Short mmCIF file of all heavy atoms in Angstrom, two decimals:
data_model
loop_
_atom_site.label_atom_id
_atom_site.label_comp_id
_atom_site.label_asym_id
_atom_site.label_seq_id
_atom_site.Cartn_x
_atom_site.Cartn_y
_atom_site.Cartn_z
N THR A 63 99.91 68.99 80.20
CA THR A 63 98.62 69.72 80.20
C THR A 63 97.45 68.66 80.56
O THR A 63 97.71 67.55 80.41
CB THR A 63 98.29 70.28 78.86
OG1 THR A 63 98.15 69.18 77.94
CG2 THR A 63 99.41 71.24 78.37
N ILE A 64 96.42 69.29 81.06
CA ILE A 64 95.26 68.50 81.49
C ILE A 64 94.88 67.78 80.11
O ILE A 64 94.49 66.46 80.21
CB ILE A 64 94.07 69.43 81.92
CG1 ILE A 64 94.46 69.95 83.37
CG2 ILE A 64 92.76 68.59 82.02
CD1 ILE A 64 93.50 70.87 83.88
N GLU A 65 94.78 68.51 79.02
CA GLU A 65 94.30 67.93 77.84
C GLU A 65 95.22 66.68 77.45
O GLU A 65 94.54 65.59 77.10
CB GLU A 65 94.51 68.96 76.68
CG GLU A 65 93.92 68.56 75.42
CD GLU A 65 94.05 69.66 74.28
OE1 GLU A 65 94.91 70.67 74.50
OE2 GLU A 65 93.32 69.59 73.31
N SER A 66 96.47 66.71 77.48
CA SER A 66 97.27 65.55 77.10
C SER A 66 97.26 64.45 78.14
O SER A 66 97.28 63.24 77.78
CB SER A 66 98.62 65.92 76.64
OG SER A 66 99.39 66.40 77.81
N TYR A 67 97.30 64.84 79.47
CA TYR A 67 97.33 63.85 80.54
C TYR A 67 96.01 63.06 80.58
O TYR A 67 95.99 61.85 80.59
CB TYR A 67 97.66 64.43 81.96
CG TYR A 67 97.82 63.39 83.02
CD1 TYR A 67 98.66 62.31 82.89
CD2 TYR A 67 97.06 63.57 84.12
CE1 TYR A 67 98.71 61.25 83.86
CE2 TYR A 67 97.22 62.56 85.30
CZ TYR A 67 97.97 61.59 85.16
OH TYR A 67 98.21 60.60 86.03
N ALA A 68 94.87 63.78 80.37
CA ALA A 68 93.62 63.07 80.24
C ALA A 68 93.58 62.19 79.11
O ALA A 68 93.03 61.05 79.15
CB ALA A 68 92.43 64.12 80.18
N ALA A 69 94.19 62.52 77.94
CA ALA A 69 94.19 61.65 76.76
C ALA A 69 95.02 60.30 77.19
O ALA A 69 94.66 59.31 76.78
CB ALA A 69 94.69 62.37 75.60
N ASP A 70 96.13 60.54 77.78
CA ASP A 70 96.92 59.34 78.20
C ASP A 70 96.18 58.48 79.07
O ASP A 70 96.29 57.26 78.88
CB ASP A 70 98.19 59.95 78.96
CG ASP A 70 99.17 60.59 78.09
OD1 ASP A 70 99.13 60.53 76.85
OD2 ASP A 70 100.23 61.09 78.68
N LEU A 71 95.47 59.07 80.09
CA LEU A 71 94.62 58.18 80.98
C LEU A 71 93.63 57.44 80.19
O LEU A 71 93.40 56.27 80.49
CB LEU A 71 94.06 59.07 82.00
CG LEU A 71 95.04 59.75 83.13
CD1 LEU A 71 94.31 60.83 83.79
CD2 LEU A 71 95.39 58.58 84.11
N ARG A 72 92.99 58.14 79.25
CA ARG A 72 91.91 57.32 78.56
C ARG A 72 92.46 56.30 77.81
O ARG A 72 91.89 55.28 77.76
CB ARG A 72 91.15 58.41 77.68
CG ARG A 72 90.23 59.41 78.49
CD ARG A 72 89.19 59.99 77.59
NE ARG A 72 88.49 60.89 78.42
CZ ARG A 72 88.83 62.22 78.56
NH1 ARG A 72 89.77 62.79 77.78
NH2 ARG A 72 88.24 62.95 79.43
N GLU A 73 93.60 56.43 77.11
CA GLU A 73 94.23 55.39 76.31
C GLU A 73 94.72 54.33 77.28
O GLU A 73 94.72 53.18 76.75
CB GLU A 73 95.48 55.98 75.65
CG GLU A 73 95.87 55.26 74.48
CD GLU A 73 96.96 55.92 73.65
OE1 GLU A 73 96.75 57.16 73.42
OE2 GLU A 73 97.92 55.31 73.27
N ALA A 74 95.00 54.64 78.45
CA ALA A 74 95.37 53.61 79.39
C ALA A 74 94.20 52.82 80.12
O ALA A 74 94.42 52.02 81.01
CB ALA A 74 96.36 54.11 80.48
N GLY A 75 92.97 53.17 79.74
CA GLY A 75 91.80 52.43 80.21
C GLY A 75 90.69 53.39 80.77
O GLY A 75 89.60 52.85 81.08
N ALA A 76 91.11 54.59 81.12
CA ALA A 76 90.18 55.53 81.74
C ALA A 76 88.91 55.85 80.90
O ALA A 76 88.02 56.52 81.47
CB ALA A 76 90.86 56.71 82.36
N ASP A 77 89.02 55.53 79.59
CA ASP A 77 87.78 55.84 78.84
C ASP A 77 86.65 54.92 79.27
O ASP A 77 85.45 55.30 78.97
CB ASP A 77 88.09 55.73 77.25
CG ASP A 77 88.69 54.30 76.94
OD1 ASP A 77 89.12 53.52 77.89
OD2 ASP A 77 88.80 53.88 75.81
N ALA A 78 86.82 53.96 80.09
CA ALA A 78 85.79 53.10 80.45
C ALA A 78 85.03 53.73 81.74
O ALA A 78 83.95 53.35 82.13
CB ALA A 78 86.34 51.69 80.99
N PHE A 79 85.69 54.76 82.23
CA PHE A 79 84.99 55.53 83.37
C PHE A 79 83.89 56.46 82.88
O PHE A 79 83.86 56.90 81.76
CB PHE A 79 85.98 56.48 84.10
CG PHE A 79 87.02 55.71 84.95
CD1 PHE A 79 88.38 56.10 84.95
CD2 PHE A 79 86.55 54.76 85.85
CE1 PHE A 79 89.23 55.50 85.77
CE2 PHE A 79 87.45 54.16 86.71
CZ PHE A 79 88.83 54.53 86.70
N GLU A 80 82.93 56.61 83.72
CA GLU A 80 81.89 57.68 83.27
C GLU A 80 82.31 59.07 83.55
O GLU A 80 81.81 59.98 82.90
CB GLU A 80 80.61 57.37 84.37
CG GLU A 80 79.94 56.05 84.12
CD GLU A 80 78.97 55.65 85.14
OE1 GLU A 80 78.33 56.65 85.86
OE2 GLU A 80 78.68 54.49 85.44
N GLN A 81 83.30 59.14 84.38
CA GLN A 81 83.81 60.60 84.73
C GLN A 81 85.23 60.50 84.91
O GLN A 81 85.76 59.56 85.52
CB GLN A 81 83.31 60.97 86.06
CG GLN A 81 81.72 61.51 86.07
CD GLN A 81 81.51 62.73 85.25
OE1 GLN A 81 82.26 63.59 85.22
NE2 GLN A 81 80.35 62.87 84.73
N LEU A 82 85.95 61.39 84.40
CA LEU A 82 87.40 61.62 84.60
C LEU A 82 87.71 63.08 84.82
O LEU A 82 87.50 63.81 83.87
CB LEU A 82 88.22 61.04 83.46
CG LEU A 82 89.73 61.16 83.56
CD1 LEU A 82 90.33 60.31 84.68
CD2 LEU A 82 90.42 60.84 82.21
N ILE A 83 88.22 63.39 85.97
CA ILE A 83 88.57 64.80 86.25
C ILE A 83 90.00 64.89 86.43
O ILE A 83 90.61 64.04 87.28
CB ILE A 83 87.84 65.29 87.46
CG1 ILE A 83 86.29 65.22 87.29
CG2 ILE A 83 88.21 66.81 87.76
CD1 ILE A 83 85.44 65.66 88.47
N VAL A 84 90.75 65.70 85.72
CA VAL A 84 92.21 65.99 86.14
C VAL A 84 92.26 67.35 86.49
O VAL A 84 91.99 68.38 85.78
CB VAL A 84 93.09 65.73 84.82
CG1 VAL A 84 94.54 66.07 85.13
CG2 VAL A 84 93.06 64.27 84.39
N PRO A 85 92.58 67.56 87.79
CA PRO A 85 92.81 68.98 88.30
C PRO A 85 94.03 69.65 87.80
O PRO A 85 95.07 68.85 87.46
CB PRO A 85 92.72 68.88 89.82
CG PRO A 85 92.79 67.48 90.09
CD PRO A 85 92.83 66.64 88.78
N LEU A 86 94.09 70.84 87.81
CA LEU A 86 95.40 71.61 87.39
C LEU A 86 96.15 71.77 88.59
O LEU A 86 95.79 72.13 89.68
CB LEU A 86 94.94 73.08 86.91
CG LEU A 86 95.98 73.97 86.56
CD1 LEU A 86 96.70 73.49 85.10
CD2 LEU A 86 95.43 75.35 86.34
N TYR A 87 97.43 71.45 88.54
CA TYR A 87 98.42 71.59 89.65
C TYR A 87 98.71 73.12 89.75
O TYR A 87 99.22 73.70 88.74
CB TYR A 87 99.63 70.85 89.27
CG TYR A 87 100.62 70.60 90.37
CD1 TYR A 87 101.24 69.32 90.55
CD2 TYR A 87 101.17 71.57 91.09
CE1 TYR A 87 102.14 69.09 91.45
CE2 TYR A 87 102.15 71.45 92.02
CZ TYR A 87 102.76 70.10 92.25
OH TYR A 87 103.70 69.99 93.15
N LEU A 88 98.36 73.75 90.86
CA LEU A 88 98.61 75.16 91.02
C LEU A 88 100.06 75.54 91.33
O LEU A 88 100.58 74.95 92.19
CB LEU A 88 97.73 75.78 92.18
CG LEU A 88 96.19 75.78 91.82
CD1 LEU A 88 95.47 76.12 93.24
CD2 LEU A 88 95.78 76.88 90.85
N THR A 89 100.76 76.32 90.45
CA THR A 89 102.11 76.61 90.76
C THR A 89 102.23 78.17 90.68
O THR A 89 101.25 78.91 90.45
CB THR A 89 103.00 76.12 89.63
OG1 THR A 89 102.75 76.86 88.35
CG2 THR A 89 102.79 74.63 89.34
N ARG A 90 103.46 78.65 90.87
CA ARG A 90 103.66 80.09 90.68
C ARG A 90 103.34 80.63 89.22
O ARG A 90 103.24 81.83 89.02
CB ARG A 90 105.15 80.50 91.01
CG ARG A 90 105.44 80.32 92.44
CD ARG A 90 106.82 80.72 92.87
NE ARG A 90 107.31 80.18 94.05
CZ ARG A 90 106.92 80.68 95.25
NH1 ARG A 90 106.15 81.77 95.26
NH2 ARG A 90 107.24 80.16 96.38
N GLU A 91 103.39 79.73 88.34
CA GLU A 91 103.16 79.92 86.81
C GLU A 91 101.67 80.01 86.47
O GLU A 91 101.33 80.34 85.36
CB GLU A 91 103.84 78.99 85.98
CG GLU A 91 105.32 79.50 85.65
CD GLU A 91 106.32 79.23 86.80
OE1 GLU A 91 106.32 77.99 87.13
OE2 GLU A 91 106.96 80.08 87.32
N THR A 92 100.73 79.62 87.43
CA THR A 92 99.32 79.47 87.12
C THR A 92 98.80 80.95 86.88
O THR A 92 99.19 81.86 87.70
CB THR A 92 98.50 78.90 88.19
OG1 THR A 92 99.18 77.65 88.69
CG2 THR A 92 97.12 78.61 87.72
N THR A 93 98.06 81.23 85.88
CA THR A 93 97.51 82.55 85.56
C THR A 93 96.02 82.60 85.65
O THR A 93 95.41 81.51 85.33
CB THR A 93 98.01 83.06 84.15
OG1 THR A 93 97.46 82.28 83.19
CG2 THR A 93 99.45 83.16 84.12
N PRO A 94 95.38 83.79 85.94
CA PRO A 94 93.90 83.85 85.80
C PRO A 94 93.45 83.56 84.42
O PRO A 94 92.30 82.97 84.31
CB PRO A 94 93.65 85.22 86.25
CG PRO A 94 94.95 85.90 86.53
CD PRO A 94 96.02 84.95 86.36
N GLU A 95 94.20 83.82 83.38
CA GLU A 95 93.84 83.63 82.04
C GLU A 95 93.62 81.97 81.76
O GLU A 95 92.74 81.59 81.06
CB GLU A 95 94.78 84.14 80.97
CG GLU A 95 94.78 85.72 80.91
CD GLU A 95 95.55 86.27 82.12
OE1 GLU A 95 96.53 85.69 82.73
OE2 GLU A 95 95.08 87.38 82.50
N MET A 96 94.56 81.26 82.42
CA MET A 96 94.60 79.85 82.25
C MET A 96 93.20 79.36 82.86
O MET A 96 92.58 78.36 82.25
CB MET A 96 95.58 79.19 83.05
CG MET A 96 96.97 79.07 82.39
SD MET A 96 97.90 78.08 83.64
CE MET A 96 99.56 78.45 83.08
N ILE A 97 92.88 79.91 83.85
CA ILE A 97 91.62 79.50 84.68
C ILE A 97 90.36 79.75 83.73
O ILE A 97 89.58 78.93 83.55
CB ILE A 97 91.52 80.15 86.00
CG1 ILE A 97 92.78 79.87 86.89
CG2 ILE A 97 90.19 79.72 86.74
CD1 ILE A 97 92.95 78.46 87.44
N VAL A 98 90.40 81.05 83.28
CA VAL A 98 89.12 81.50 82.50
C VAL A 98 89.12 80.59 81.24
O VAL A 98 87.99 80.12 80.86
CB VAL A 98 89.24 82.94 82.12
CG1 VAL A 98 88.19 83.38 81.34
CG2 VAL A 98 89.23 83.80 83.42
N GLU A 99 90.13 80.53 80.46
CA GLU A 99 90.09 79.75 79.22
C GLU A 99 89.82 78.30 79.45
O GLU A 99 89.20 77.58 78.74
CB GLU A 99 91.48 79.77 78.58
CG GLU A 99 91.73 81.17 77.76
CD GLU A 99 93.20 81.43 77.45
OE1 GLU A 99 93.91 80.49 77.29
OE2 GLU A 99 93.51 82.71 77.29
N GLY A 100 90.47 77.81 80.55
CA GLY A 100 90.25 76.38 80.89
C GLY A 100 88.77 76.17 81.27
O GLY A 100 88.18 74.97 80.84
N ALA A 101 88.13 77.08 81.89
CA ALA A 101 86.71 76.92 82.28
C ALA A 101 85.87 76.94 81.03
O ALA A 101 84.91 76.13 80.90
CB ALA A 101 86.36 77.92 83.23
N GLU A 102 86.16 77.87 80.12
CA GLU A 102 85.44 78.00 78.93
C GLU A 102 85.53 76.79 78.02
O GLU A 102 84.55 76.45 77.40
CB GLU A 102 85.85 79.34 78.12
CG GLU A 102 85.18 80.55 78.84
CD GLU A 102 85.80 81.90 78.36
OE1 GLU A 102 86.64 81.90 77.39
OE2 GLU A 102 85.41 82.88 78.89
N SER A 103 86.69 76.24 78.04
CA SER A 103 86.96 75.05 77.07
C SER A 103 86.28 73.75 77.70
O SER A 103 86.13 72.75 77.01
CB SER A 103 88.29 74.80 76.81
OG SER A 103 89.00 74.32 78.02
#
Side-chain angles (χ1 to χ4, degrees):
T63 67
I64 292 176
E65 189 176 16
S66 65
Y67 185 51
D70 287 353
L71 288 164
R72 286 201 185 91
E73 201 170 316
D77 55 346
F79 284 137
E80 295 170 25
Q81 290 287 332
L82 176 67
I83 301 175
V84 175
L86 180 71
Y87 191 134
L88 293 167
T89 71
R90 290 181 198 282
E91 272 79 57
T92 313
T93 63
E95 291 74 33
M96 281 182 194
I97 303 292
V98 175
E99 284 165 24
E102 279 166 6
S103 72

